[in-house]
Amino acid sequence: MDASHTPEVPERLELANAPEPSRPLAEGDDALPRRDFLRLAGAGAGFMLAGCAPPVAFASAPARGIERGRGPSPSSSHVVIVGAGAWGGWTAYHLRARGVRVTLIDQYGPGNSRSTSGDETRGIRSSYGDRAAGELWTPWARAAIARWKLFEQEWGPAFRTSFFHETGDVIMRATREPFITKTIDLWKANGVRHEVLTGDEVRKRWPVIKADDITVAITEPDAGVVRCRAATQAVAAVAQKMGVELVIGRVTPGPIVNGMMDGVVLENGTVIRGDQYVFACGPWLRKLFPYLENRARIPLGHALYFGVPQGDARFQFPNLPSFNFPGVTGWPMLPVDSRGFRVRGAIAPTVAAGASAAPAAQPASPPAAPSAAADPTLQDPDLSSRWTNQDRVDGARRFLAARFPILANAPLLETRACHYESSVNQNFIVDHVPSAGNAWIAGLGQAEGFKFGPVIGDYVAQRVLGIDGDPALKKAFALPTEQYEGPPR
């Protein structure tokens, strides 16, 4: 077994300020009781005895529709998960915490550069006034924020690093558009602490932001940014310490016989069988299951990381929040690894001499040129190039010049590109593989899936174990029956 893609979990905590290990969990809590965890974790139990804690006690951060326990699943259940990214890794973690045997398979390894979770950072927020599923997503996003903080408290010291950074998030607009109004309504309905600021307050609080045209802003003070590649690998490493078996290899689904999937097949012909199968393989779902071919899209998104001025802490955490302008999001540099000041999106070039200093922004993922749209490799995560072209770099620089003028000529340190997954019904999918009662599809994160990992993994785990939970969530996450009108562009 090749586990080289995941970091080593430290055997001991030597930090003077390390937090006390979590309390032993009572029956019915999120994770296994300590005695059962020690019994089931096998070789991984050594790190427990050396002073580390059991799986994080997420019971203190409950999420709508998620119940504890194993449901009707027998104690000998074995679940095979294909995909060790944000959703697959967290599903493995939660299944193992419920006492289930788990085999986790990934063709390139957790946090690899082809994966959706392979970027360096992801924003963690709950502002979904612009999404059709906002009423369902907002409370889950709030639970996810709480769970990321718990994971950070438990495992940041163990790995001697930081995963979650509470940057806060600010959304700035020239007018009070529906996105702002609806997000405020959702926050109020869910008791979310927030602020509504005037343009003058924005300019006073963050003078490095050029916000002359801004009249309203809303903030979520406890939102943040997670180092997603590092966190994905850490979750996989912790899951392995809990007893999950990680296999590096490419699989194809086995045959469906009498309504049940019979194993998954590695490239060398090895068949891995379980009682249940979960396919949480992001943009590869369309390749594995033809049913999704015209019900899912996998556009490429690009993120750029710019260097900040030497000795100038104004563009670093914790001195600046993550930010949202029309078509552009980003956040400050995180000093833990200093990847850079992150920008996703762009401002289009001016078309007239009298254009304003801050021209209208184009979508965060600019449409591809007609010639590129016909390139079939852009629809294949195994073949697509992740190169960020000069047009995107120029567009990001126009944004910096318009909103962060001190960074207008900042050096470009690195770029990242990944396939996001979206579905025709604009929601997640957690449902059975068509015609297979023991196989599941878990994916289509709508470019927002990473942040939900600690929650969606728990939800997938309970569904696999026969606990349906909230009927509204089950209905919302069902496989869509409608299709897109045209082919991918």
Side-chain angles (χ1 to χ4, degrees), residues 57-303:
F58 286 143
S60 63
R64 170 184 172 178
I66 294 179
E67 304 171 15
R68 305 272 62 81
R70 296 174 57 96
S73 177
S75 60
S76 60
S77 291
H78 176 206
V79 178
V80 177
I81 301 172
V82 180
W87 284 25
W90 277 109
T91 299
Y93 178 101
H94 283 292
L95 281 169
R96 190 65 187 131
R98 294 177 187 240
V100 177
R101 177 188 170 198
V102 179
T103 299
L104 180 62
I105 307 172
D106 196 285
Q107 61 180 330
Y108 300 120
N112 70 82
S113 292
R114 283 186 170 99
S115 66
T116 303
S117 52
D119 188 11
E120 302 304 327
T121 53
R122 284 286 188 275
I124 311 295
R125 59 179 176 81
S126 69
S127 46
Y128 287 118
D130 59 341
R131 296 294 186 123
E135 291 186 4
L136 295 179
W137 288 10
T138 299
W140 262 27
R142 292 301 306 171
I145 290 173
R147 292 187 175 200
W148 276 115
K149 291 180 180 179
L150 289 170
F151 185 80
E152 167 69 20
Q153 292 167 11
E154 191 82 20
W155 289 107
F159 283 94
R160 295 177 172 84
T161 190
S162 296
F163 301 110
F164 179 86
H165 298 76
E166 189 176 287
T167 59
D169 185 64
V170 58
I171 302 171
M172 290 168 274
R173 293 294 186 267
T175 60
R176 195 181 177 98
E177 61 187 46
F179 171 37
I180 295 286
T181 301
K182 181 62 174 177
T183 295
I184 292 173
D185 290 343
L186 289 171
W187 281 346
K188 288 181 177 178
N190 288 276
V192 179
R193 183 167 62 94
H194 65 279
E195 300 174 294
V196 180
L197 306 178
T198 65
D200 287 340
E201 289 171 318
V202 168
R203 289 181 282 275
K204 181 179 180 180
R205 188 175 298 188
W206 302 294
V208 296
I209 302 175
K210 192 173 187 298
D212 296 349
D213 60 327
I214 298 301
T215 66
V216 62
I218 56 176
T219 75
E220 187 176 11
D222 62 348
V225 174
V226 165
R227 294 170 55 229
C228 62
R229 185 196 303 275
T232 299
Q233 293 174 337
V235 170
V238 172
Q240 288 177 84
K241 283 294 188 181
M242 294 165 65
V244 170
E245 180 183 8
L246 175 64
V247 176
I248 304 299
R250 188 182 185 93
V251 305
T252 55
I256 296 175
V257 180
N258 296 324
M260 304 291 279
M261 184 173 290
D262 182 22
V264 295
V265 186
L266 294 172
E267 285 186 308
N268 64 5
T270 300
V271 178
I272 299 178
R273 289 187 169 89
D275 300 295
Q276 299 275 343
Y277 304 88
V278 177
F279 293 88
C281 38
W284 284 270
L285 286 169
R286 292 173 75 245
K287 297 186 70 172
L288 292 177
F289 302 108
Y291 180 89
L292 293 174
E293 176 65 27
N294 203 35
R295 294 177 171 88
R297 293 288 184 262
I298 54 169
L300 275 168
H302 295 257

Side-chain angles (χ1 to χ4, degrees), residues 23 109 118 143 173 212 247 273 304 312-313 318 358 391 399 417 424 446:
R23 63 178 175 81
R173 293 294 186 267
D212 296 349
V247 176
R273 289 187 169 89
L304 293 81
D312 190 341
D391 287 344
F399 167 77
V424 66
Q446 317 298 317

